[in-house]
Amino acid sequence: QVELVESGGGLVQAGDSLTLYCTASGGYAMGWFRQAPGEERDFVAAIDWIGSKTAYADSVKGRFTISKTNAKNTLYLHMNSLKPEDTAVYYCAATTKSGPILSKQEYKYWGQGTQVTVSS
């Protein structure tokens, strides 16, 4: 069983930056997803196991950066130029497949989520 624990969410203003963290109990290809109220859980960013290949949703490309440190089994999501439409619960996920993986169906393990709220 893989345990994922997210942290770093909070309330910020539009244009601010925020970094999310996710600790995992092992090394995996991983991703970030987000879910706004009444919406489906959407792909945000993904990274392969080594940490050399990444993928991003068009809505965050150029503003968000995903990275990981395998030594610490920690996944990061650096978010810049935040917008009110980025408001959502952010989830990290892990997969045993080679990454980066964009489809949420391919992820077996999920964290509990962390709230990010961006005020205008």
Side-chain angles (χ1 to χ4, degrees):
Q1 184 69 22
V2 177
E3 183 178 7
L4 303 175
V5 180
E6 301 103 334
S7 61
L11 172 63
V12 296
Q13 293 187 331
D16 284 353
S17 298
L18 196 64
T19 297
L20 303 183
Y21 306 83
C22 175
T23 57
S25 56
Y28 300 89
M30 300 183 74
W32 288 99
F33 292 78
R34 66 187 181 186
Q35 188 168 18
E39 303 290 332
E40 299 220 347
R41 190 171 298 187
D42 292 330
F43 168 76
V44 175
I47 192 166
D48 69 342
W49 178 80
I50 296 175
S52 61
K53 299 178 183 178
T54 59
Y56 296 92
D58 288 342
S59 59
V60 306
K61 202 171 292 183
R63 299 188 298 122
F64 291 11
T65 302
I66 188 172
S67 62
K68 67 196 303 274
T69 56
N70 287 336
K72 297 181 180 180
N73 288 334
T74 301
L75 177 72
Y76 307 90
L77 185 67
H78 306 282
M79 305 183 292
N80 295 320
S81 302
L82 282 162
K83 304 175 181 180
E85 51 263 44
D86 294 318
T87 296
V89 176
Y90 283 70
Y91 298 88
C92 71
T95 176
T96 55
K97 298 182 180 291
S98 297
I101 302 294
L102 281 65
S103 172
K104 60 188 175 188
Q105 283 77 18
E106 301 293 339
Y107 286 86
K108 184 175 181 180
Y109 307 105
W110 293 85
Q112 82 288 351
T114 185
Q115 177 71 46
V116 173
T117 303
V118 184
S119 64
S120 57

